[in-house]
Structures are given as structure tokens and as C-alpha cells.
Amino acid sequence: MKSLLNRPLRCQASLLFAKAMSLVAIVTAFALNPCSQGFADSIDFVRDVQPIFETHCVSCHGQAKQKSGLRLDIKSEAFKGGDGYGPSIVAGSAAESPLFELVTSTDSDTRMPPDGDPPEGKGLSVSEIRILEQWIEQGAAWPPGVDKASLEDRTDHWSFKPRTPGQFSSIDAYIDTKLAEMGLAFAPEADPRTWLRRVYFDLIGLPPQPAEVAAFISDDRPDARERVVERLLGSPRYGERWAQHWLDVVRYADTHGFEVNTPRANAWPYRDYVIDAFNGDLPYDEFVRQQLAGDAFGRDAATGFLVTAAALLPGQIGKDDESKRLARQDSLAEIIINTSEAFLGLSIGCARCHDHKFDAITQRDYYSLQAFFGGVQYGERDLRSERTQAEQARLERLKNESEKLDRSLSKLFGNTKQRDTAPKLNEESFEPVKAKWVRFTIHDANLHPSLGLIEPCIDEFEVFTSGDSPRNVALASNGTKVTASGSRTSSAHKLEHINDGVFGNSHSWMSDEKGRGWVLLELPETTSINKVVWSRDREGKLSDRLPTLYTLEAGETLESMMHLSGVKSEYLADAKARIDEKRELEKRIAKASQSPKVFGGVFKQPEPTYLLSRGDPEQPLDEVAPAVPVALGSVSLALDAPEQERRRTLADWIACADNPLTARVMVNRIWQGHFGVGLVETSSDFGRSGARPTHPELLDWLAEEFICSGWSMKHMHRLIVLSKTYGQSNQVNQVAKSIDADARTLWRFPSRRLEAETIRDAMLAVSGRLSLDVDGPGFDLFGSRGGLSGFPPIESFTGDGLRRMIYSHKIRMEREAVFGAFDCPDAGQSTARRRQSTTPIQALNLFNSRFTIEESEALAKRVQQGGGDDVSDQVTTAFRMALGRDPETDELDDAANIAREHGLETVCRVLFNSNEFLFLP
């Protein structure tokens, strides 16, 4: 029974038992009913079978709903079957047809229909079961043209269709037309202060300073607003503000998630990449390409996009192969979810186990898309960026300077005996000197003739005392410590081998730098020495790889070292200066050589991708090649396509102007960032289960404008914030409210609360304590960066902790103690749009937290330092800083009285908790 082979053994047994019991019931019933049909009678689908489906089945498996993915009112869907069972009807074999197995089951959990045992209950009667069995055995003939429903074309969906040309050339024309259709009109224009605060919070996430408010209000130039917008778009604060929207969507965090939730120490370069991309107005199509294939463009940090989701570490995955395969499928699923939702606005991840229930995405589409990522692994990689490329160029300059110094030193050394070194033994004798430090610096080394290596290698370095009984004081067993410029490490080559007393290449030190390096021995105490001995390999098994140019120094302190060899006496002072310069260069080279890392995509040979039955990695079917969903295009690659080519091909298809989804999805996200909700409310679901656009023509016009502008995100901001639509007041019109309570037609500006990060940043900005330091590892919001030790919140912040909240070390699945209550995502799931809740915890946190108290005190101190001694003047200044306006007369009186009785910091605390401070005007 083929249909049973893909099910758990328990289910197989129950179904086999059910079949046996059903056959017994049928035989018994037919023996008692001599009028029953004979098995050989011909069954007509329309007359005999279709009524059974209509009576018992289509209420759950018809046009309205399809439980378990099964539909029985259309031929093609009925034969295709539901989730996990394969074809539900196998013509000619009732025994192999899941449909028959389910209607004959005696297990109430699996029997269909699930409403009683035949013939007493409401399930199928014995005669109906007999009809189905005969129909299947006779070939399951289902004639064409008899279906009473038609299959809906799921590709016939607005978001899958090409964009339509717009009839207008401005946002306001589209909005005004829609308003007129509904008998509505624009609200009055917002006053200048309101507009200014709105655009400041929208574009940079910070309030304007009192001087900026005053300057704008008094600016009567016709392009005053354009000047403000250009200044804000040019501010580094803009990228910090808008990067947060994107990081919400892709689930960025600085920990791995799940139970252990360990830190991702190098996740932050991706966060900084996104900020820089927005600040630089990186064309969105390039933004897409770099995140999917940044390694091809020297943008390794961008590949952090591929792995922003939670991930199990190797130690958290079962050691059996089945667990590893399942974990691999889970990690690939997260990449597909990020890619499809962020760029395409489609929930393709739903097709992992079965065809998508709503959209024209098949299970084969899912695995064809997965094949593009068949070589992507979660991990760390070297970080290349404009900054690191500049550092690399700097490193090359330093190395060139070092080489020039080496050449000048070689001239000072002359043709002395120290140039003639031997692999087996070398001695350097000198007048006795008191030393605690001995440094051996290699400036050049000869080439290994067969291996082509020029890393200096020393099997043992000995330092002997002067006097009648010399002894080697360099041995580690005597307490001598050794450091080096850098060591190439293997089982044969380790730094500790250089003074372990064991000779031979198998116990030697090798520099990690071609042709040069140094070792420094710190003796346990100051000792009189007069000789050093070293060798390449005293067993003499390998050819020479010893220094041809070196310097020997010794002294009681590092600063007092004397040059003991290799330089003629008349050049000693000059050599010392150049070697000191060389030493400083070596430090700078060592620092510049430290390769930064990013937690991003790690790329390997792609593994084969298989269509998986029911999404189960233990049930692979046929192998699939990389291809985009059939409903959206025809781009595909061969099974053996190279790894990077796969991701680049996918990125080019997504970023193509002809893709019907990409531009629409991004301009909708930008619109949402300004109005709180997109033209399509479900901003990561442009599929059939998502919302339809309120203004479809405007959405398409914006998408076309986006592409024509060179995919400029800043261009879209200009269009929006300089529009009449955006510049309206939030004044409520009761008639308009009765027609459109949510203002989806934008008859007024929809006011909303500021996001958690913006509230925190604004408080710091107003108090004067905000740090504008950028880039790098995040500051701590908790006493732990991850793991199992819990997350005690940090309540008081100084220094780095006063940076903008986007620069915090974000703990996945752990909300920040104060501002987490303000609907701040925890990166457990993608947050396409921040819903706004109102809870008592928000008010309690914001009024009583240590953070609010400290910022209130800081604001009071700032006001008192610059606002004079008069309490009313101080209150006025506090209002200007926090709200951008002077207090009304009654506000001033009340606040001044509170300040006199409870202190100015109490007034500041109230201002931070006011709706006017917390809401976008």
C-alpha cells in the first residue's frame, strides 16, 4: 500500500485495522441486504459519487475551506490530494487510496467525516462506502465538465501583475481624488512648529532644538521646508532612524536565541552596514543585491542579512544525523522567510510542507528557492567594507615603509659574518653584559629550496652565562618566559618549543611572517651573559631556513637594550634609531593586520536540494534546481550551478525593475514609516491573505517614481514629507471620522505614539546627555550579554550607554526593562509593523524608572545652568526643550508651583510623561 509507506507505523497499523473492520462491516451488511448493488454494477460519478461528496465532504473540503489541503469539489484538486498523503484517489485500487482508507477508519481521530460511526451516526453509510470502493476500483471515472465549482486562478492577483501607469504626477492628486470620491477633503495645514517636530522625528528620530524651532518659524523663504528636509536627510542621524525600521523586519539581534541565547559578538557590523546604506542613499536595488550576495561586491557585512534569525549552535543540535538534517532545514527556512517577506512581501515559508494555501506558491517553488541558498551556512567571516579596505591600504603602506627600513638596515649591517648562518649550529659571542631581556630580531631569512617557504624557523634558542661554568639560562624550565612577534602554530611548530630544551624540527618555533619576526626572552633574574646559540635543525634533516639578517640585543630593561651584533660600530646609533622606528612600525602593522569579523553568510559548495514530502528531511523525493516561483517568473539555473552565482542570480531577479513586487513592497514600507500604516496595511504580506492597497494607483506611481529615481530612498522621503498630505494637521473632523475612523484615506495626518527607541533617544537629547558616537559593538542594556545566567537590567547609564538605542547590544527574546513595554520588538519574529498597545506598565515604567528620574534631573540641571534663577523662566525653558513651545499661561502657573514645591526635576519628569512629548504631532 504505497500511500501508507510515508506515514508513521502507528498510523499504518490503525488504518490497516480500520480497513479490515470496514470490510467485515460491508460484507455483513450486504449479506443482510439482498437488494444491495452487485460489485460488478457500473458506478456513475454524477449520479452516485458526487452526491456523497456534496452531502458529507465539501463543507470542509470545498470552495469555502480546504481542511488538510484537500478539496473534493474539483477533479484536479481531488486527485492531487491534501497535505502529506499524496494523491487521495488511486484509480483502480481502493486499498491504496487515502480517501477510502479515511472513510472506512474505525479510529474516531482519523475517520472521515468525523461525525459518527456508520450506519447509526452521520458518517457514510455502508452502501455509500461500497459505492466509493466500486467507483475507485472501476477506474474512478470523473467526466469533464461536471464540476459545480471552478478553480480560482491564484496568479490573478493585483500584486503579481505589472504596475499600471499613473494618471497623476503627485501624491496629493491621488489622495485628493480618493477623498473626493468619498465626499471628504484635506484637513487644514499643520502649523510650522508641528510640521517641524513631525519631520524631525520622522527623518532622524530626535526632536528639534529650541533654536531650530525658532529659526524655522521665522524663516519666510519659499523653500524653507525643502532646506529642513535636505539638512535632515544629510544628517548621520537619518540612517540611525531608518535602519531601525529595516532591522525590525529582518529580526536583527546580537544573540543567537533559543534557550541558551548566547551572544553573537560580531553581529553588529550588519547593523552598521544598514545605517551606512541609508545614510549614503545606497540605491535600493543595490541594497538588495549586497544583502544576498555582498561577498561578490566586497560588502561582507551585508551578508549578515542572510543569518539575522535565531539559530541553534552546533552543541544544541542532536548528534544524530536526523537531528542535524532537521536543524539544517530549519536554518534554511529562516533564510527563505527573511528573503521572501523582506524583499517580496510574500510568506513563501508557508510552502515548506505543502502548497501554499492562499498564494500561487507550490511546495516545489519553495525548495527551488531553497536551492539558491544551498551553500549558505551560519557563521563568521572576514569583514570587507570601505572602511576595512581603507585599513588594508593603510596596512600595505606600513609594510612598504617596513621594507624600506629593512633595506636601509641591510646597508648598515655590511658583509659581516652574521650573514653566514648554518642550519645545524650558530653561535654569537660578545663581551659579558648584564641582562634580564634578550631579543633576537630577524630582518630577512633565506628561502627553503624545495618548499618555497621563507618563514624563519628556529628549533632552539640558548642564552649562556659568562664565567667558568656557562649554563643555558634561556630554558623554560629555569623560569624564562618568551614572547614573539607572531607564531605559525602546528603540532611541530609552537612558541614554547624555542626554549624547551628539545632539538629538531619537530620541536621548533616558526614565525608567521615571511622573512622576518622576533623573539623576546625574559630571564628570571638579571644575569651576566656572553653567548647565544641557535639552529634551524640540529638533526640536519631539512635545508636552511635561517635568518640572513638579524639583530641581537640584551639589557636589564627593555629600554636599556644594547645592540650586540650585526652592525659596525660607526653605524650603531643610526641603526638603533631605525630599529626603534621599525619596532613601532611592527606594532602598527600587527594592529592593522587584525582581521575584523562579521556574523554573516559563510559559503560552501552547495548541497543537493530535494523536494521533501511533508517537509520531512527524512522523506526526500526528487532533486530540484534553483528557480524562482513559477507564478512570478522563469529564472532558473542548472543543478550544478556555482554557489555565488545562485545568490547573485536570485538577487538580480528580485532587484529587477520588472519584478512586480520589489519596488511596491519597499515604497510601501517607506510610506508606513511616515504615516504609521502602509498603503498596504500588511506590509510583509502582499499575497492573497494580505490586505489590498487603499490607493493602488498611488502605490504603483510611487513604485515607478522609486525606480526612475535610481531606487533612491531619500527621493521617496522628499516626495512624502513635502506633500500636502503629509503637511496636514491631525485635526479631527467628526463627519470624516464617521466615514473613515482610522483615517486610511488620509483626510488628516494620523497621529501616533513614538517608538520605544525614539522615546529613549529623545529624552537623552532633551536632557543634553545623548552621545552621538557611532559604529562598533553595542552598549549593554542588561548585566549579561547572553547565555543562561539571566538578564538583570541596567538601570543607570553613563558613557557608551548614552548612545542611541539602535547601538545597544540587543538580546533576542528579552525586552528592555523600561522601553520594551512600548511595543519594542524582541527579534523573535519579524516585525513588519509595530502595533501600538496601551498598558499601565508603560506609564509606570516611564514615570518611576531610574532612567527617567536621571534624565529629568539632567534636564533640570541643564535648564538651571542656562535659564537663570527665575522659576517661571526655568519652566519656560524646559517646555521649549521638551515640547518645542512656550507653556500656556495656566500651564506655566501650575508647573511653576510644582517646581517651587517639589523641584524643577519633577516638572521635567512630567514633561517626559506627557502625551505631547510621546506622540508624533
Side-chain angles (χ1 to χ4, degrees):
M1 299 176 69
K2 296 178 182 177
S3 62
L4 292 177
L5 295 179
N6 291 336
R7 297 180 218 167
L9 184 59
R10 180 180 61 81
C11 295
Q12 295 180 28
S14 64
L15 288 173
L16 288 171
F17 176 74
K19 171 162 284 300
M21 294 300 295
S22 67
L23 291 176
V24 170
I26 291 170
V27 171
T28 303
F30 273 63
L32 297 174
N33 183 9
C35 296
S36 62
Q37 289 181 299
F39 187 83
D41 290 349
S42 177
I43 301 297
D44 181 81
F45 174 78
V46 175
R47 182 191 68 211
D48 304 318
V49 177
Q50 197 170 40
I52 296 175
F53 287 166
E54 290 174 349
T55 301
H56 298 284
C57 305
V58 296
S59 61
C60 292
H61 305 286
Q63 187 170 8
K65 57 183 174 180
Q66 300 90 42
K67 286 188 174 181
S68 300
L70 177 63
R71 187 168 183 177
L72 291 173
D73 60 342
I74 296 176
K75 179 180 179 179
S76 61
E77 301 305 290
F79 277 86
K80 183 172 67 175
D83 303 340
Y85 285 96
S88 59
I89 302 169
V90 180
S93 178
E96 295 187 4
S97 299
L99 175 67
F100 187 70
E101 295 171 359
L102 292 171
V103 300
T104 58
S105 175
T106 58
D107 185 345
S108 60
D109 292 334
T110 59
R111 182 180 57 253
M112 292 291 136
D115 50 7
D117 296 323
E120 296 85 357
K122 297 179 182 179
L124 269 63
S125 67
V126 172
S127 61
E128 288 171 326
I129 292 173
R130 178 64 167 167
I131 289 171
L132 289 180
E133 183 179 29
Q134 286 183 263
W135 175 65
I136 296 171
E137 292 290 346
Q138 292 172 10
W142 188 324
V146 300
D147 294 349
K148 296 181 180 179
S150 59
L151 192 62
E152 190 176 15
D153 181 7
R154 292 186 174 182
T155 64
D156 185 19
H157 186 59
W158 70 267
S159 69
F160 285 19
K161 295 177 181 179
R163 294 177 295 275
T164 57
Q167 65 179 119
F168 304 118
S169 58
S170 73
I171 291 171
D172 297 329
Y174 288 100
I175 299 297
D176 190 42
T177 299
K178 184 77 169 183
L179 290 173
E181 290 174 359
M182 301 182 68
L184 303 174
F186 285 115
E189 185 179 62
D191 64 84
R193 183 193 72 89
T194 296
W195 181 88
L196 188 70
R197 283 179 64 81
R198 181 185 298 168
V199 78
Y200 260 74
F201 278 122
D202 259 1
L203 291 182
I204 66 171
L206 296 171
Q209 295 295 317
E212 293 170 321
V213 175
F216 178 71
I217 291 175
S218 64
D219 190 346
D220 57 1
R221 289 175 294 184
D223 63 345
R225 292 194 175 190
E226 287 85 348
R227 289 171 179 269
V228 169
V229 171
E230 290 307 312
R231 186 174 74 252
L232 296 178
L233 290 176
S235 167
R237 313 286 80 80
Y238 157 76
E240 295 165 346
R241 166 65 165 156
W242 278 84
Q244 188 64 67
H245 293 305
W246 186 256
L247 297 180
D248 282 359
V249 172
V250 301
R251 298 174 285 175
Y252 170 82
D254 293 286
T255 62
H256 290 290
F258 296 106
E259 291 83 0
V260 179
N261 209 13
T262 51
R264 284 181 181 171
N266 293 305
W268 58 265
Y270 174 71
R271 174 249 288 153
D272 287 353
Y273 161 80
V274 175
I275 293 173
D276 291 342
F278 276 95
N279 275 332
D281 199 19
L282 179 69
Y284 182 69
D285 58 339
E286 289 303 308
F287 187 57
V288 172
R289 290 187 177 94
Q290 289 182 12
Q291 290 180 89
L292 291 172
D295 51 306
F297 307 104
R299 295 292 182 271
D300 295 283
T303 66
F305 164 83
L306 296 168
V307 293
T308 54
L312 290 169
L313 299 177
Q316 298 170 262
I317 300 170
K319 299 191 180 298
D320 57 289
D321 291 338
E322 291 83 356
S323 295
K324 293 177 182 177
R325 285 191 287 267
L326 179 59
R328 175 61 176 156
Q329 282 298 314
D330 289 344
S331 65
L332 287 169
E334 298 295 356
I335 298 174
I336 292 172
I337 290 170
N338 249 14
T339 301
S340 62
E341 292 187 359
F343 298 133
L344 301 174
L346 290 177
S347 55
I348 291 177
C350 296
R352 178 178 174 180
C353 301
H354 48 72
D355 291 351
H356 202 291
K357 293 185 181 295
F358 303 104
D359 297 329
I361 305 294
T362 67
Q363 191 183 17
R364 182 172 293 274
D365 286 336
Y366 174 89
Y367 288 101
S368 297
L369 185 63
Q370 185 189 95
F372 284 109
F373 303 107
V376 180
Q377 307 280 337
Y378 286 60
E380 289 191 344
R381 59 183 288 106
D382 289 339
L383 174 60
R384 291 174 298 166
S385 65
E386 291 181 355
R387 189 174 304 157
T388 57
Q389 288 172 353
E391 283 295 311
Q392 186 63 34
R394 175 173 167 269
L395 176 61
E396 292 302 318
R397 290 195 299 270
L398 291 174
K399 287 183 175 180
N400 288 336
E401 291 179 35
S402 179
E403 290 174 2
K404 289 179 183 178
L405 272 174
D406 285 343
R407 288 193 292 271
S408 65
L409 281 169
S410 66
K411 294 178 181 178
L412 293 176
F413 271 64
N415 295 317
T416 60
K417 66 178 181 178
Q418 284 77 18
R419 285 181 167 273
D420 303 320
T421 54
K424 287 192 174 183
L425 192 65
N426 296 276
E427 292 187 4
E428 181 79 34
S429 297
F430 43 85
E431 292 296 319
V433 59
K434 289 185 177 180
K436 182 174 174 58
W437 307 86
V438 177
R439 179 185 174 109
F440 187 74
T441 303
I442 301 161
H443 303 286
D444 193 14
N446 53 8
L447 179 67
H448 189 287
S450 60
L451 300 179
L453 300 174
I454 54 173
E455 292 90 344
C457 183
I458 298 175
D459 75 340
E460 192 73 13
F461 192 89
E462 300 173 284
V463 179
F464 287 93
T465 59
S466 58
D468 297 332
S469 302
R471 57 188 178 89
N472 176 19
V473 291
L475 289 169
S477 58
N478 290 336
T480 295
K481 300 176 182 177
V482 61
T483 54
S485 55
S487 306
R488 185 180 296 278
T489 302
S490 67
S491 58
H493 305 300
K494 296 180 181 179
L495 178 59
E496 57 263 34
H497 289 336
I498 200 168
N499 66 335
D500 62 357
V502 180
F503 302 112
N505 179 66
S506 61
H507 277 70
S508 61
W509 166 78
M510 183 181 287
S511 171
D512 66 351
E513 192 174 1
K514 294 183 181 299
R516 57 175 66 97
W518 53 260
V519 290
L520 180 68
L521 292 89
E522 180 185 355
L523 306 180
E525 57 185 8
T526 301
T527 307
S528 179
I529 61 173
N530 69 343
K531 184 174 71 172
V532 296
V533 179
W534 77 95
S535 58
R536 162 69 182 86
D537 183 359
R538 297 190 195 184
E539 297 175 356
K541 294 180 180 178
L542 291 177
S543 299
D544 205 8
R545 217 184 327 169
L546 276 171
T548 58
L549 186 62
Y550 65 90
T551 306
L552 179 65
E553 301 163 87
E556 295 185 64
T557 65
L558 290 174
E559 292 75 19
S560 68
M561 278 189 171
M562 299 174 58
H563 298 283
L564 302 175
S565 65
V567 181
K568 296 178 180 179
S569 58
E570 60 267 32
Y571 300 134
L572 188 60
D574 193 9
K576 169 115 173 43
R578 297 191 191 189
I579 289 174
D580 288 344
E581 184 180 355
K582 167 79 171 176
R583 216 177 268 158
E584 183 59 32
L585 269 176
E586 285 175 346
K587 292 179 182 177
R588 293 167 63 190
I589 288 172
K591 184 176 181 180
S593 298
Q594 294 175 355
S595 177
K597 302 287 184 182
V598 60
F599 188 84
V602 176
F603 310 113
K604 300 180 180 179
Q605 179 67 26
E607 58 203 29
T609 301
Y610 297 96
L611 179 66
L612 302 180
S613 176
R614 304 169 68 181
D616 183 358
E618 303 311 306
Q619 298 187 52
L621 302 175
D622 52 309
E623 186 175 358
V624 296
V628 303
V630 173
L632 292 172
S634 57
V635 175
S636 62
L637 295 172
L639 286 170
D640 60 350
E643 193 284 321
Q644 190 181 87
E645 181 185 346
R646 298 182 182 215
R647 290 178 290 111
R648 292 195 67 170
T649 299
L650 177 63
D652 287 340
W653 172 74
I654 293 175
C656 177
D658 293 334
N659 191 306
L661 289 164
T662 308
R664 282 172 172 153
V665 169
M666 191 55 190
V667 296
N668 189 66
R669 294 194 193 282
I670 295 173
W671 186 273
Q672 175 183 280
H674 288 295
F675 293 100
V677 60
L679 296 170
V680 178
E681 185 175 1
T682 53
S683 51
S684 282
D685 189 356
F686 275 43
R688 295 168 59 83
S689 59
R692 294 187 65 84
T694 55
H695 301 73
E697 298 85 0
L698 173 57
L699 180 65
D700 279 5
W701 180 78
L702 287 170
E704 286 295 322
E705 187 71 19
F706 189 34
I707 294 169
C708 291
S709 72
W711 300 85
S712 168
M713 290 181 272
K714 289 187 177 182
H715 176 68
M716 304 312 296
H717 292 303
R718 293 186 189 97
L719 286 178
I720 294 172
V721 301
L722 292 172
S723 69
K724 180 180 179 181
T725 304
Y726 182 85
Q728 299 177 90
S729 72
N730 59 14
Q731 179 179 317
V732 176
N733 179 305
Q734 292 301 327
V735 175
K737 183 179 179 181
S738 67
I739 298 172
D740 177 18
D742 295 329
R744 296 288 283 118
T745 55
L746 295 171
W747 52 267
R748 70 180 181 93
F749 184 83
S751 181
R752 65 187 185 276
R753 194 184 62 226
L754 300 174
E755 295 94 335
E757 296 88 345
T758 306
I759 296 172
R760 184 184 193 271
D761 294 348
M763 292 173 71
L764 287 169
V766 170
S767 74
R769 298 216 305 155
L770 179 65
S771 167
L772 296 180
D773 289 346
V774 300
D775 302 339
F779 67 88
D780 290 319
L781 294 172
F782 300 92
S784 170
R785 297 211 129 204
L788 297 171
S789 58
F791 301 100
I794 294 175
E795 297 183 355
S796 182
F797 294 88
T798 58
D800 201 42
L802 299 175
R803 302 203 312 174
R804 297 195 72 173
M805 195 170 172
I806 194 171
Y807 293 114
S808 66
H809 178 87
K810 188 171 182 66
I811 306 291
R812 199 183 302 274
M813 304 300 292
E814 191 71 28
R815 296 195 177 219
E816 195 273 340
V818 178
F819 299 97
F822 289 88
D823 309 294
C824 185
D826 63 7
Q829 299 293 330
S830 171
T831 303
R833 176 188 168 209
R834 294 195 185 187
R835 302 285 178 176
Q836 293 198 341
S837 64
T838 302
T839 68
I841 296 297
Q842 294 166 348
L844 292 170
N845 281 2
L846 199 59
F847 196 77
N848 297 315
S849 69
R850 170 54 55 188
F851 180 86
T852 300
I853 292 172
E854 289 183 350
E855 298 319 306
S856 300
E857 292 171 348
L859 174 56
K861 183 177 180 181
R862 182 186 184 193
V863 167
Q864 289 165 342
Q865 288 175 342
D869 296 330
D870 183 81
V871 173
S872 295
D873 290 345
Q874 293 175 354
V875 168
T876 299
T877 301
F879 265 75
R880 289 173 180 170
M881 289 180 172
L883 306 180
R885 67 172 177 85
D886 287 355
E888 301 290 342
T889 302
D890 56 343
E891 290 176 324
L892 178 59
D893 291 342
D894 290 344
N897 288 333
I898 292 173
R900 293 186 185 98
E901 185 174 352
H902 301 287
L904 182 61
E905 60 271 16
T906 301
V907 174
C908 297
R909 194 171 167 194
V910 171
L911 289 174
F912 282 146
N913 281 267
S914 66
N915 281 351
E916 191 172 350
F917 182 81
L918 297 173
F919 278 74
L920 191 69

